[in-house]
């Protein structure tokens, strides 16, 4: 004891046992939360795969590319066989990869070359993107 009115210092053994017990309780809670997160991620990947399948069905097939977009997750860019393109956003890169794998589409490492050449752009894309910068009409 250090002095009157002060509690004795805990023994190192008490600290270790208390810490281990606290960690064990935390891990059990985390494992349950982890299982829920895994199930939620699987459901999200399955929903995205259905959307990819619907796009591919409407456009004679599809190919894609997954790009990391920071905290927002990952962007799945889809290009149909008819040249129409679209995209989906997944909350994580892993979920995006699972979704394209479940959909069974061809996935490209980068959006360039022959893959990018399949995209057909129309007046909307020109006025909304580069068209504004090269004197195109501004759309509301």
């Amino acid at each position: 004891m250090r002095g009157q009115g002060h509690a004795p210092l805990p023994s190192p053994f008490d600290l270790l046992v208390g810490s281990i017990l606290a960690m064990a309780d935390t891990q059990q809670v985390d494992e349950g939360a982890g299982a829920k997160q895994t199930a939620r991620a699987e459901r999200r990947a399955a929903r995205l795969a259905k959307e990819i399948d619907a796009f591919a069905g409407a456009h004679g097939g599809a190919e894609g590319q997954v790009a990391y977009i920071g905290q927002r997750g990952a962007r799945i860019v889809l290009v149909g066989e008819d040249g129409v393109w679209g995209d989906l956003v997944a909350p994580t890169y892993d979920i995006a990869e699972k979704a394209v794998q479940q959909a069974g589409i061809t996935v490209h490492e980068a959006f360039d070359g022959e893959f990018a050449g399949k995209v057909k752009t129309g007046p909307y894309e020109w006025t909304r993107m580069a068209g504004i910068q090269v004197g195109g009409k501004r759309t509301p």
Side-chain angles (χ1 to χ4, degrees), residues 36-127:
K36 286 181 182 179
Q37 287 177 337
T38 301
R40 186 176 298 131
E42 292 294 329
R43 288 191 304 271
R44 182 66 177 140
R47 280 194 302 269
L48 286 167
K50 284 183 182 180
E51 291 181 52
I52 293 167
D53 287 339
F55 180 88
H59 300 285
E63 298 178 35
Q65 190 257 340
V66 178
Y68 177 70
I69 56 173
Q71 289 183 334
R72 289 268 305 146
R75 180 180 185 201
I76 305 168
V77 178
L78 302 169
V79 179
E81 289 299 316
D82 58 1
V84 173
W85 68 278
D87 65 347
L88 299 166
V89 175
T92 67
Y93 192 86
D94 290 338
I95 290 173
E97 283 187 321
K98 286 179 186 176
V100 295
Q101 184 180 31
Q102 287 176 14
I105 64 170
T106 300
V107 180
H108 297 269
E109 291 292 321
F111 193 82
D112 59 3
E114 192 175 317
F115 179 52
K118 292 182 177 186
V119 175
K120 292 182 182 171
T121 56
Y124 174 78
E125 287 84 6
W126 281 103
T127 57

